[in-house]
Amino acid sequence: LMEEEEPAMVGDDASYSQRLKQTEEYKEFKKNYESTVNDLQSFLSDVVEKNLPPDTSNIMAKVTEMLHPFGGGSVNVFDMIHHLRSFDDMTYVHCLNVGLICNVFAKWLGMSEAEIELATQCGILHDIGKLKIPEEIIKKPSKLTDEEFRTIKSHPYEGYKLLKNADLNEHIKKAALQHHEKTDGSGYPIGIKGDKMDEYAKLVCIADIYEAMTAIRIY
C-alpha cells in the first residue's frame, strides 16, 4: 500500500530510501542526530576556542540515546547515516559519523562495553584539530597548493596538542595524532608503521576513510 501511494521512483535503492525516510525509526534518529550535531558543534568549539576541558559525557549520553533503539542491528545505523547526507559535511558532522561507525566496528569486533564507548570517543574527537585549520583551505574545491596541503597535514598535531593535557584516555589522544598514519608507513604526520600504531587509531583510520569516501564533499 505504501509503495502504491508513493510517486514513481527509479530503482530499488530510491524506493527503499523513500520508504526508510517515512519510518518512525528514521524520523526519531534524524531528530536525535540533529540535536547531537548541534551539541557536538558547541562542545568542540568550546574546547578549541575557549580552552575548556573536553568532557564527553553529555555527547556520549546523546549517542547512547540515539543508538539504543537499534540494539544489535548495527547495519541500520549505516542506513541512517547514509540517508542523512544532505547535511553539510562540516568537521563536527564528520566526527559524529566517525564516532558512530567506530561504535559499530567495535561491536563487530566483540569489544567490551567500556571498549566500545572508548572507540566511540576516539572517533568523535579524532578530527578536532581540523577546527584549527582555516576554513578556506578545508572547503577549497580546487587542488591544494603544497603549502596548503602541509597546513592540512598539520591537523593531527593540532588535535593532539588540544587534547594532550586533558583528563582523557591516552587512546583518544593517540587516535587524534595517528588517524592518518598507515600500516606501511606512508601516512602522516610521523610516518610510523602498523606495529607502532595505536589499536584504536587503526580503527578510527578505517572509519575515517570510509566516512570520507561516502560523504558529500566539494573535493
Side-chain angles (χ1 to χ4, degrees):
L1 179 62
M2 184 187 298
E3 290 183 351
E4 292 174 357
E5 293 175 350
E6 292 175 353
M9 299 183 73
V10 178
D12 291 340
D13 288 345
S15 179
Y16 171 73
S17 176
Q18 191 174 51
R19 290 197 302 272
L20 177 69
K21 290 181 178 180
Q22 292 176 346
T23 64
E24 291 303 316
E25 186 180 40
Y26 174 83
K27 293 173 183 177
E28 183 67 18
F29 185 90
K30 183 174 184 288
K31 182 181 72 173
N32 290 334
Y33 184 93
E34 291 171 349
S35 175
T36 306
V37 165
N38 290 332
D39 284 359
L40 183 58
Q41 180 181 10
S42 298
F43 165 64
L44 294 179
S45 296
D46 283 346
V47 175
V48 174
E49 297 170 10
K50 300 179 183 178
N51 201 30
L52 294 180
D55 180 2
T56 62
S57 57
N58 179 55
I59 296 298
M60 287 304 300
K62 299 206 71 167
V63 167
T64 299
E65 180 183 359
M66 192 189 319
L67 296 178
H68 177 71
F70 297 98
S74 51
V75 173
N76 286 344
V77 177
F78 280 88
D79 275 353
M80 298 298 175
I81 293 173
H82 286 303
H83 285 86
L84 284 165
R85 287 306 191 189
S86 57
F87 277 83
D88 291 334
D89 185 40
M90 302 297 289
T91 296
Y92 43 87
V93 174
H94 172 66
C95 285
L96 177 57
N97 288 346
V98 171
L100 294 175
I101 294 168
C102 284
N103 183 284
V104 172
F105 281 4
K107 289 175 181 174
W108 286 350
L109 290 169
M111 290 182 167
S112 68
E113 286 301 317
E115 290 169 330
I116 292 169
E117 181 171 331
L118 177 56
T120 308
Q121 291 175 315
C122 287
I124 286 172
L125 286 169
H126 83 285
D127 237 3
I128 190 171
K130 279 272 186 74
L131 296 177
K132 301 289 285 186
I133 306 300
E135 194 169 293
E136 59 269 22
I137 295 179
I138 296 290
K139 291 186 174 181
K140 185 178 178 181
S142 56
K143 183 177 174 63
L144 297 176
T145 66
D146 290 344
E147 183 177 353
E148 288 170 336
F149 190 49
R150 281 194 295 271
T151 300
I152 284 283
K153 290 172 72 173
S154 72
H155 81 267
Y157 270 134
E158 294 295 338
Y160 181 73
K161 285 193 294 184
L162 286 165
L163 302 178
K164 68 177 181 179
N165 295 321
D167 183 20
L168 291 170
N169 188 290
E170 287 300 311
H171 289 297
I172 298 174
K173 301 173 186 180
K174 289 179 180 178
L177 179 64
Q178 298 179 6
H179 67 274
H180 281 292
E181 300 290 355
K182 299 292 183 289
T183 55
D184 64 357
S186 64
Y188 65 87
I190 304 169
I192 58 176
K193 291 193 175 183
D195 60 339
K196 302 294 184 184
M197 284 181 69
D198 180 85
E199 59 185 311
Y200 286 84
K202 288 181 181 180
L203 191 154
V204 172
C205 178
I206 296 168
D208 178 50
I209 292 171
Y210 173 82
E211 207 287 327
M213 290 173 67
T214 57
I216 300 170
R217 294 188 174 186
I218 291 173
Y219 55 83

